[in-house]
Amino acid sequence: MKKILLATAALSLMAGAVLAQDKTKACFVYVGPIGDGGWTYQHHQGLMAVEAEFGDKVETAYQENVPEGADAERVLTQMALSGCDIIFTTSFGYMDATNAVAAKFPDVKFEHATGFKRDTPNVSTYNARFYEGRAVMGTIAGRMTKSNKIGYIGSFPIPEVIQGINASFIHAKKVNSDVTISVVWAYTWFDPAKEADAAKALIEQGVDVILAHTDSTAPLAEAAKTPGVIGFGQASDMEAYKPSPRVSSIIDNWAPYYIERVGAVIDGTWAQKDTWAGISGGEVLIGEITEAVPAEVKAEAEALAASIADGSYHPFTGPLNKQDGTPWLAEGVVANDGELAGLNFYVEGITGDIPK
Amino acid sequence: MMEFCGINPAVLVASLMVASVPILLAAIGELVVEKSGVLNLGVEGMMIMGAICGFITAVSTGSPLLGFLGGAAGGAVLSLMFAFLTQVLLANQVATGLALTLFGLGLSSLMGQGYNGIKPPLTEALNFGPLSDIPVLGRILFSHDWVVYASVAIIAAVWAVLKYTRTGLILRAVGENHDAAHALGYKVGLVRLLAILFGGALAGMGGAYLSLVRVPQWTDGITAGAGWIALAIVVFASWKPWRVLIGGYLFGGISVLQLNLQACGSRIPVEYLSMSPYLITILVLVIMSSGRGRAALNAPASLGQSFHASR
Amino acid sequence: MVTLEKRPSPSRFWSAATPVVAVALTMLAGGVMFALLGKNPAEAIRTIFWDPLFGEFAWYLRGQLLVKAGPLILIAIGLSLGFRAGIWNIGAEGQYIMGAIFGASVGLAVFPTDNRLIFPAMIIAGAFGGWLWGMIPAILKTRFNTNEILVSLMLVYVAEKILSKAALGFLRNPEGAGFPGSRNFNSYPAAANPELIAGTGMHWGVVMAFIAVIFAYILLQRHILGFQIKLAGQAPRAARFHGVNPQRMVVLCLGISGACAGLAGVFEVTGPAGQISIDFNVGYGFTAIIVAFLGRLNPVGILLAGLLMALTYIGGEMASTNLGLPAAAIQAFQGMLLFFLLAVDVMTNYRIRLFTKGAA
């Protein structure tokens, strides 16, 4: 124990030495390459927005392709040592590494995306309510499907993806009681060719609206080959596939949050918090709904987005039952955030099992 | 189970033919390389170089055909590095191949900066007129783009060349016993260089098929391990061209089938389905090699060994 | 015209000098690439090769070099024995994963019991898991003549699926709010593999890697088994006359390399990584193949090659963060270093002769 304390003291001494600089240094750890065109690309857009907003007052640094685990801990330590004032760790798997390093550098602020652990006061967590966007896409899907079959391509069965499947289905069902959803798990974070095959398999099963939780344009390109099949942009706008098959999109927009938090460090007002913003905070953007969607459906989708944004409606509002028919939320009751964050069951009406 | 879970077999076969193209092209190229006695583990690197070079060429010329040529050139240029190191400087082939993969992944990502989010020109399916309306066969045989047919044609050509021509004989001689081939007056180094270039070009073309047709877009790491599968397929085929086709279609078929089974709501747990392409490939190889007992011995005898003409 | 002339025996001078020459050449070529990318080449090279060893934060990074090199060396040592005997295990990545899963399962099964025997039991389980996964290609090869390259490679992907099943299902942290990933071993002291001396990076896995180097060295130099392994690779027919049973060799080599990879996995999951997660494996099993060959399949060479690879990872990362170099440039740079190391190695075994055509 004593040895650990000594090491901690040495580390914090080093961290103290760099406080004298006047520029604020914001650092980012990415799980993939910027060129992934999806998750990491959107975080990097946030970094560039920070640079554009604060100009000379900030300095930025980033590291791509950082594996979770031991490598993350080393990269974070290195960043903290080299004078970063605030470090954004942009993947769930960095959770334990972020908290471990934060404990050694009390003067450096850490921001962990999509996690829930805040062991020390210098760790904040943030996430985006992507399911709000899914609710809007689900509405469009329910109205647009002619076969009454919509498809969802998932990566791994983690709570965020399950939120997305449930939110899409609930809102498709709300506008079209005949709708069913088929889920295909790719069991990989990244394999564009497999996404194309998954989309094709869904189309063969009669699905005519495809929602994807994976970030490549492969499902859209596959949809483009079959007339009448539509899909949505995911992570980025994917405007190359406008006006159809891409009829709208969910865009990850981290810029407002990054600007706010870096600004707080500059002002000296940074404090620990847990942020889970959505459409209202501008973190989840709904991409342009194209002319391929009838005007009344577009209006309906936009109205839903607006009601979510102003807080008058929550996508998980009862009455909702779990898949097995047992009640989950009573009439008018809204799911609480803790429950949503760890969501691990389907709502009633979805067939198939979540892989365990 | 109505119509086997709603999966139309004709559609399934048509899909697997498309899905297998990248690994088929890369595998048949690697087969020729290995037949000449060279083991190039850099298939993944050459494929991804082909993917980016093909993408850049197609986007800047507007022609998908030129794109495939560009992809083949990209793969071949990278394989030239492998050839120089292993044939001239006699470097270890396994390590050089792995280094080639590392280098290719890095270089392709550097070259691809600025090509995100662009849609490449479309590679159309060939027009067979009324032929494509024949039930079942029309969908399987007459609904594809030219590369699908080319992949099968190249396999047939490689088979014919290896079996019936003098070129094939020389290639096999060099791969089986390079000292004897050298003593007979064949230029071992030159034969191997050409084989390596051929392998690189086909791997590059396979990569270009991913970025131009299958996905189609450029993202870092787009090949996602396809080059490794191609290497496994060559072993699966025990260095026989037609078996490359069987192996590629088997692997591609199971991969497509497992996604179809998921989509139709099959009760088989997803994690077992996602393992199935790998397990079934092993299983089929076990059956094939135990039946013959000699499949593993079919490897070219000089595979992976450097050749140095001492005289 | 330039030709190569085989040396009667490998040059001692060049076998020591080639790495130095190769690194120097890489610095030149890499410098050109960095300059083309608009960065200061001297600064980039210094950041990659000098700073992790002697720079401002070297007191921290030197330890991290060991953390990174440990699993690479341990796996590569195991692989090198098989490679020498002509047995191609390229699925060490899968054996690494299975080692981690087996080891972690034992530890998590008895959570939160405190007992001195837990950690050793986990290590044994980890070695067993890797061994078991290596036995599949071994048995298929000896029984059915199935090629081990294909089987071991395919089993990597199967192991990855089992890993995600573990992280999402049977090893998931029950207190993790539904998120994937197991409990973190760093908060379960009886099962943890912490730094033995804080700040040095030394953990049991690194110790094990060093032991493996010494063990392999003795095996190859002094033991009959080492002789048999070398013979089986260089002259399979002669080996058979010497009573070397090729079946036994396959089982032995795949078993040892599997167990080594499994050990690396369990040390990593209990220490530096801390937990089983979907993305627990980061390609050590594949990089170790390069390390084995860079080290010329020689235990001491592997030790040095592992450290060099670790240096390029860590230095490269620093160059990337501090100078804004794309990660891809670092990857390409590593590729270049490998190319030069492999290319210059020709000097060890061959002399370069310049002479006119007529003289030939």
Side-chain angles (χ1 to χ4, degrees):
Chain A
M1 198 63 214
K2 201 180 244 172
K3 277 166 190 158
I4 297 168
L5 282 177
L6 273 175
T8 310
L11 286 167
S12 25
L13 210 70
M14 296 310 300
V18 294
L19 276 184
Q21 291 174 350
D22 45 359
K23 263 193 185 181
T24 296
K25 189 168 178 186
C27 301
F28 295 76
V29 183
Y30 301 144
V31 71
I34 293 167
D36 71 358
W39 180 255
T40 294
Y41 180 80
Q42 292 302 125
H43 282 286
H44 194 64
Q45 298 297 308
L47 175 148
M48 295 201 292
V50 166
E51 281 179 344
E53 174 78 17
F54 298 108
D56 283 348
K57 280 189 279 183
V58 296
E59 187 187 338
T60 59
Y62 62 87
Q63 175 69 46
E64 301 167 86
N65 283 337
V66 177
E68 297 160 355
D71 296 283
E73 198 159 329
R74 181 183 64 246
V75 169
L76 285 171
T77 307
Q78 224 163 269
M79 281 183 166
L81 286 172
S82 62
C84 297
D85 299 294
I86 180 167
I87 303 176
F88 294 90
T89 58
T90 64
S91 174
F92 171 75
Y94 297 148
M95 181 160 71
D96 289 357
T98 304
N99 281 285
V101 177
K104 294 180 193 153
F105 294 91
D107 296 328
V108 181
K109 318 294 182 217
F110 291 83
E111 297 269 356
H112 177 228
T114 70
F116 57 87
K117 265 191 206 164
R118 293 173 298 280
D119 290 348
T120 49
N122 58 333
V123 182
S124 288
T125 49
Y126 63 101
N127 200 350
R129 295 179 192 268
F130 297 114
Y131 66 83
E132 295 183 349
R134 299 279 170 199
V136 179
M137 300 305 123
T139 305
I140 299 176
R143 287 283 182 215
M144 295 294 286
T145 179
K146 292 186 182 64
S147 63
N148 293 328
K149 284 181 178 172
I150 63 176
Y152 200 106
I153 304 173
S155 48
F156 285 101
I158 57 171
E160 192 198 300
V161 179
I162 294 167
Q163 290 160 21
I165 295 169
N166 282 330
S168 306
F169 178 72
I170 291 168
H171 293 85
K173 184 99 179 165
K174 206 166 261 182
V175 294
N176 178 351
S177 57
D178 295 328
V179 88
T180 59
I181 193 166
S182 306
V183 181
V184 172
W185 298 101
Y187 257 67
T188 171
W189 296 120
F190 184 83
D191 187 344
K194 198 170 199 173
E195 293 168 38
D197 287 337
K200 202 179 218 169
L202 286 166
I203 293 169
E204 293 309 336
Q205 290 293 324
V207 161
D208 62 356
V209 183
I210 294 177
L211 296 124
H213 213 112
T214 43
D215 296 351
S216 89
T217 53
L220 284 175
E222 207 51 55
K225 289 178 193 161
T226 317
V229 177
I230 58 166
F232 304 91
Q234 157 64 12
S236 62
D237 195 32
M238 301 187 178
E239 70 271 4
Y241 289 88
K242 272 183 191 173
S244 185
R246 175 228 166 273
V247 296
S248 184
S249 63
I250 305 178
I251 305 167
D252 308 357
N253 179 28
W254 302 101
Y257 185 75
Y258 289 168
I259 290 171
E260 177 203 326
R261 300 305 275 169
V262 174
V265 172
I266 295 173
D267 305 340
T269 56
W270 191 95
Q272 178 179 60
K273 66 173 182 170
D274 174 28
T275 306
W276 200 8
I279 296 177
S280 65
E283 290 194 2
V284 176
L285 298 179
I286 304 299
E288 186 206 335
I289 300 173
T290 63
E291 64 267 24
V293 176
E296 67 275 13
V297 176
K298 183 177 175 180
E300 187 181 13
E302 283 170 346
L304 180 72
S307 69
I308 293 172
D310 66 22
S312 58
Y313 175 72
H314 190 291
F316 291 100
T317 305
L320 283 174
N321 289 345
K322 295 184 182 179
Q323 189 181 25
D324 58 10
T326 55
W328 175 30
L329 300 171
E331 175 91 43
V333 174
V334 165
N336 72 50
D337 282 357
E339 197 171 16
L340 276 184
L343 198 65
N344 61 358
F345 55 83
Y346 286 147
V347 295
E348 194 174 34
I350 301 180
T351 53
D353 298 323
I354 298 174
K356 283 269 157 57
Chain B
M1 252 202 227
M2 17 105 210
E3 202 193 344
F4 194 54
C5 195
I7 299 167
N8 177 345
V11 173
L12 187 74
V13 173
S15 317
L16 77 86
M17 289 174 76
V18 175
S20 310
V21 168
I23 50 175
L24 279 185
L25 286 171
I28 195 69
E30 177 68 13
L31 180 135
V32 170
V33 179
E34 294 191 10
K35 271 284 179 194
S36 81
V38 176
L39 181 62
N40 184 354
L41 293 188
V43 181
E44 179 83 358
M46 300 186 298
M47 277 185 94
I48 200 156
M49 278 302 286
I52 186 60
C53 292
F55 192 83
I56 293 175
T57 317
V59 166
S60 51
T61 60
S63 153
L65 185 65
L66 286 177
F68 280 101
L69 288 177
V77 167
L78 194 66
S79 74
L80 199 60
M81 269 181 74
F82 176 86
F84 177 71
L85 280 160
T86 59
Q87 301 308 305
V88 179
L89 298 177
L90 307 174
N92 178 285
Q93 295 175 6
V94 174
T96 309
L98 290 168
L100 202 68
T101 292
L102 200 63
F103 185 72
L105 287 171
L107 189 61
S108 64
S109 162
L110 283 179
M111 289 172 70
Q113 287 178 358
Y115 284 92
N116 282 127
I118 298 175
K119 196 167 147 185
L122 192 66
T123 305
E124 303 260 8
L126 295 182
N127 185 4
F128 288 95
L131 281 180
S132 52
D133 297 329
I134 305 172
V136 185
L137 279 184
R139 183 68 191 254
I140 295 178
L141 295 177
F142 304 111
S143 67
H144 301 296
D145 56 70
W146 68 270
V147 195
V148 175
Y149 304 106
S151 64
V152 181
I154 291 171
I155 289 173
V158 167
W159 168 76
V161 167
L162 282 176
K163 184 149 191 190
Y164 296 114
T165 68
R166 194 176 143 71
T167 314
L169 187 73
I170 296 173
L171 188 80
R172 283 184 291 146
V174 166
E176 287 302 329
N177 186 339
H178 47 216
D179 292 317
H182 176 69
L184 288 172
Y186 297 130
K187 293 191 165 60
V188 174
L190 184 68
V191 171
R192 289 188 169 166
L193 170 73
L194 293 175
I196 292 169
L197 281 176
F198 179 77
L202 283 191
M205 216 175 130
Y209 194 73
L210 278 171
S211 64
L212 293 178
V213 181
R214 288 271 281 137
V215 177
Q217 68 170 2
W218 168 252
T219 52
D220 283 24
I222 189 170
T223 45
W228 291 100
I229 301 300
L231 276 167
I233 296 297
V234 179
V235 178
F236 176 91
S238 52
W239 296 271
K240 294 187 176 107
W242 287 113
R243 284 212 194 165
V244 165
L245 191 73
I246 296 172
Y249 281 0
L250 174 76
F251 186 86
I254 306 283
S255 307
V256 170
L257 178 65
Q258 71 99 353
L259 292 168
N260 274 283
L261 285 172
Q262 285 195 44
C264 76
S266 136
R267 307 299 294 177
I268 308 169
V270 175
E271 50 274 44
Y272 299 122
L273 283 176
S274 64
M275 284 176 202
S276 59
Y278 313 104
L279 288 177
I280 291 174
T281 306
I282 294 177
L283 192 71
V284 173
L285 183 67
V286 167
I287 294 167
M288 287 189 349
S289 41
S290 66
R292 293 282 210 71
R294 286 177 56 83
L297 304 178
N298 199 33
S302 299
L303 187 60
Q305 294 166 12
S306 292
F307 171 72
H308 177 244
S310 41
R311 280 152 288 125
Chain C
M1 185 167 168
V2 185
T3 53
L4 298 174
E5 184 187 300
K6 186 142 183 117
R7 293 178 194 273
S9 63
S11 155
R12 295 196 126 224
F13 169 75
W14 277 109
S15 106
T18 48
V20 182
V21 175
V23 169
L25 287 171
T26 313
M27 288 179 175
L28 281 177
V32 172
M33 179 177 75
F34 295 142
L36 286 175
L37 290 167
K39 309 288 173 188
N40 179 345
E43 201 183 350
I45 301 286
R46 199 203 66 218
T47 313
I48 296 174
F49 287 106
W50 184 263
D51 285 0
L53 292 172
F54 309 107
E56 196 183 349
F57 306 120
W59 53 271
Y60 170 70
L61 293 172
R62 279 185 216 141
Q64 293 300 308
L65 277 178
L66 293 179
V67 172
K68 192 89 194 166
L72 287 175
I73 295 169
L74 186 51
I75 300 171
I77 290 283
L79 289 176
S80 69
L81 299 178
F83 292 162
R84 272 178 183 261
I87 292 157
W88 295 95
N89 176 8
I90 54 172
E93 184 80 356
Q95 294 141 19
Y96 172 84
I97 293 173
M98 293 314 281
I101 293 178
F102 270 66
S105 303
V106 168
L108 293 169
V110 297
F111 179 88
T113 329
D114 186 14
N115 189 315
R116 282 175 170 276
L117 293 176
I118 292 176
F119 187 62
M122 290 170 72
I123 300 308
I124 292 167
F128 175 74
W131 175 82
L132 196 69
W133 214 240
M135 271 306 106
I136 299 174
I139 287 169
L140 291 182
K141 187 178 174 78
T142 52
R143 290 290 298 276
F144 303 107
N145 219 350
T146 315
N147 188 301
E148 76 278 16
I149 297 182
L150 179 131
V151 178
S152 61
L153 179 63
M154 287 296 180
L155 286 176
V156 173
Y157 301 99
V158 177
E160 281 179 350
K161 307 298 173 201
I162 297 176
L163 176 69
S164 34
K165 190 170 168 55
L168 291 159
F170 63 91
L171 293 183
R172 190 168 68 177
N173 181 359
E175 288 153 32
F179 282 84
S182 74
R183 289 180 194 279
N184 198 311
F185 287 101
N186 290 322
S187 47
Y188 178 25
N193 169 30
E195 281 183 316
L196 297 172
I197 306 164
T200 57
M202 262 300 189
H203 61 78
W204 283 113
V206 180
V207 175
M208 193 65 206
F210 285 125
I211 293 174
V213 169
I214 297 166
F215 187 79
Y217 185 82
I218 297 171
L219 181 79
L220 289 171
Q221 298 295 324
R222 307 256 175 251
H223 198 275
I224 179 74
L225 183 62
F227 171 73
Q228 290 182 341
I229 286 174
K230 285 191 274 190
L231 196 62
Q234 283 160 4
R237 282 173 59 88
R240 224 163 287 177
F241 290 129
H242 273 80
V244 178
N245 178 349
Q247 308 264 5
R248 187 170 153 257
M249 209 44 107
V250 169
V251 171
L252 207 72
C253 287
L254 277 163
I256 294 177
S257 52
C260 282
L263 279 173
V266 69
F267 284 123
E268 192 73 8
V269 75
T270 48
Q275 63 179 148
I276 290 282
S277 63
I278 296 176
D279 306 293
F280 162 74
N281 60 313
V282 295
Y284 281 135
F286 290 111
T287 313
I289 302 176
I290 305 181
V291 169
F293 280 103
L294 274 189
R296 301 178 189 133
L297 304 182
N298 171 317
V300 181
I302 288 171
L303 177 72
L304 297 174
L307 289 169
L308 181 65
M309 279 306 283
L311 179 67
T312 61
Y313 274 111
I314 292 180
E317 222 166 65
M318 289 188 64
S320 173
T321 322
N322 298 346
L323 309 174
L325 273 168
I330 302 299
Q331 248 177 349
F333 182 78
Q334 279 180 322
M336 273 186 207
L337 174 64
L338 297 174
F339 285 149
F340 281 116
L341 280 166
L342 294 163
V344 180
D345 204 31
V346 70
M347 302 299 296
T348 311
N349 290 312
Y350 296 89
R351 245 188 277 272
I352 292 179
R353 278 286 154 94
L354 294 159
F355 55 97
T356 53
K357 260 206 162 125

